[in-house]
Amino acid sequence: MKYLIVVDMQTDFIDGALGTPEAVAILPHVKEKIENFDGKVLFTRDTHAPDYLTTQEGRNLPVEHCIKGTDGWQIHPTLEPLRKTDAIDKPTFGSTALVHLLQRADDLESVELIGLCTDICVISNAMLMKVAFPEIPVTVDAKCCAGVTPASHKNALEAMKMCQIKVVNE
């Protein structure tokens, strides 16, 4: 089975607290990719508690975002109707729960990642996939990703290529 991992396409990262024009711009591409994907689609969701600002991440990025249960935490309304499984909530950049879920799949053929942010959560999850499944093709669709900045997006794509993660649609 082919898996598409839709990383953190949440309101706060698109047009909310940490939104960017680049994140808004990829929305139609992400929607089209999900609609046309021949395989299983899984969504991750950055998930923080109300005490986020007291956490290590909150002290380094003091912008409340993706607080569980808020509108900003939700999968963006453009994409929510396309979600067919429970989202994988993750308290940090990469998801070990996602790795464990895919380790239980006896028919794993490939993993493709899209979403936000290329330079934080997409690269973290892509690297976890490559470590957990070194013989399975791992791909990132650059057209369906956006970084914190265009420069950091490009740097993350280059770093993933160096780790034998295939980057398409640059």
Side-chain angles (χ1 to χ4, degrees):
M1 168 93 38
K2 297 176 184 176
Y3 283 82
L4 177 66
I5 311 302
V6 182
V7 178
D8 299 356
M9 288 298 294
Q10 294 161 264
T11 299
D12 270 348
F13 290 129
I14 297 169
D15 50 20
L18 293 171
T20 64
E22 294 82 12
V24 171
I26 69 166
L27 208 45
H29 302 296
V30 170
K31 184 175 188 285
E32 180 182 10
K33 174 71 101 175
I34 295 167
E35 289 172 338
N36 295 314
F37 189 74
D38 183 26
K40 189 163 186 169
V41 179
L42 302 174
F43 285 74
T44 69
R45 190 167 45 196
D46 194 41
T47 302
H48 300 296
D51 69 347
Y52 169 76
L53 293 176
T54 67
T55 67
Q56 181 174 328
E57 181 183 328
R59 289 188 299 274
N60 286 293
L61 176 62
V63 178
E64 283 191 340
H65 66 281
C66 300
I67 305 300
K68 187 173 185 171
T70 65
D71 289 342
W73 171 72
Q74 301 297 336
I75 300 299
H76 194 274
T78 303
L79 304 176
E80 178 59 30
L82 303 175
R83 186 166 63 87
K84 305 294 185 222
T85 62
D86 289 340
I88 299 164
D89 292 340
K90 56 184 192 55
T92 188
F93 307 134
S95 175
T96 54
L98 176 61
V99 171
H100 295 292
L101 178 73
L102 293 177
Q103 284 173 329
R104 290 191 298 273
D106 57 0
D107 57 351
L108 183 62
E109 292 174 38
S110 64
V111 177
E112 184 169 359
L113 296 98
I114 60 175
L116 301 167
C117 293
T118 318
D119 44 344
I120 302 174
C121 294
V122 174
I123 192 172
S124 296
N125 284 289
M127 296 297 261
L128 283 172
M129 295 299 108
K130 197 64 186 166
V131 167
F133 310 106
E135 297 303 319
I136 298 293
V138 177
T139 304
V140 170
D141 188 337
K143 182 174 72 173
C144 295
C145 294
V148 174
T149 68
S152 61
H153 166 77
K154 184 172 176 38
N155 288 340
L157 295 175
E158 292 303 315
M160 288 186 277
K161 285 192 258 184
M162 292 302 295
C163 294
Q164 301 177 5
I165 294 166
K166 184 178 180 181
V167 175
V168 297
N169 296 321
E170 277 189 88

